[in-house]
Structures are given as structure tokens and as C-alpha cells.
Amino acid sequence: QVQLAESGGGLVQPGGSLRLSCVASGRTFSSYTMGWFRQAPGKEREFVTVINLNGGSTRYADSVKGRFTISRDNAKNTVYLQMNSLKPEDTAVYYCAASNSVCSGSACYRVRYDYWGQGTQVTVSS
């Protein structure tokens, strides 16, 4: 069992940056593949990015490639999402998720997640 807590959301102008954090407690953080998802009003939750156990494999949704970066610090039980060049369409509640599955390369796109955080709101608006 693992508990996830996101932070770092807020209001930012278009073109701005935010860094989200997700702290995990419970079982060994380094044993989880970690992902970020988002859900905009009236839309389904969508995949944003994933990082494997040691950070050697990362994958991104096409909509955020080149703008968002996922990273993890296993010593701090934390996964980060650095978001640059934000657009109004990035407005959503952002969730981190943990998976018991191990992956590498493109297989990380297909990971199923076992635990979810409560989410943090990101609003991009002038």
C-alpha cells in the first residue's frame, strides 16, 4: 500500500512554468513505476507521462512532449513534473499514480496503475 500526495499546482499565465511534486509514503517508493495524469472539466482523465523504477525510461503524451519533464528522487520518495511553456489547454486537475508493474521503453505506456493521489489543480490563464 502507498499513499500519494500531490502539490505545486496553481494559477499561471500562458507561457509560464510550474513544478508539481508527488510524495509517496508507505512501501518502498523505488519499487513503483510512477505516472502523471490529468483531467480537464468535462473530459476524461488522460495520460501525461510515466517514469520507470530507476528513471531510465520516460514516455510522454504527444501534447506535452518538449514542454513537460518527469523526474524522480527515490531518496526523497518524490516524483516531479516540470511544466514549461504552459498553454490554456493544459488546465486540469493533475494526478500522480503508482504502479506495481515494472517497465522499460515503450511498454511503459501500457502500465496499469494501482494507487492514485487526490490531485492538484493547474490553471493556465491570463
Side-chain angles (χ1 to χ4, degrees):
Q1 187 81 11
V2 65
Q3 293 78 42
L4 303 173
E6 304 95 336
S7 62
L11 173 64
V12 62
Q13 292 187 344
S17 298
L18 279 176
R19 188 176 81 156
L20 305 183
S21 300
C22 173
V23 179
S25 59
R27 278 186 55 194
T28 306
F29 176 73
S30 59
S31 66
Y32 293 102
T33 295
M34 299 298 297
W36 286 96
F37 289 73
R38 66 186 182 186
Q39 186 168 19
K43 295 187 177 181
E44 293 187 353
R45 186 172 59 195
E46 64 175 1
F47 167 81
V48 176
T49 181
V50 59
I51 188 167
N52 73 343
L53 303 187
N54 63 5
S57 287
T58 59
R59 291 295 185 270
Y60 298 89
D62 287 343
S63 58
V64 307
K65 279 181 183 176
R67 300 188 299 121
F68 290 11
T69 303
I70 189 172
S71 61
R72 66 189 298 161
D73 185 338
N74 287 343
K76 294 183 178 180
N77 290 356
T78 303
V79 62
Y80 303 99
L81 181 62
Q82 178 67 44
M83 305 185 294
N84 299 329
S85 302
L86 282 161
K87 305 175 182 180
E89 51 264 44
D90 294 318
T91 295
V93 177
Y94 284 71
Y95 299 90
C96 72
S99 171
N100 290 308
S101 300
V102 177
C103 72
S104 63
S106 296
C108 291
Y109 280 120
R110 298 185 291 275
V111 164
R112 291 191 175 186
Y113 293 86
D114 302 289
Y115 307 102
W116 295 83
Q118 294 299 307
T120 185
Q121 176 71 46
V122 172
T123 302
V124 185
S125 175
S126 55

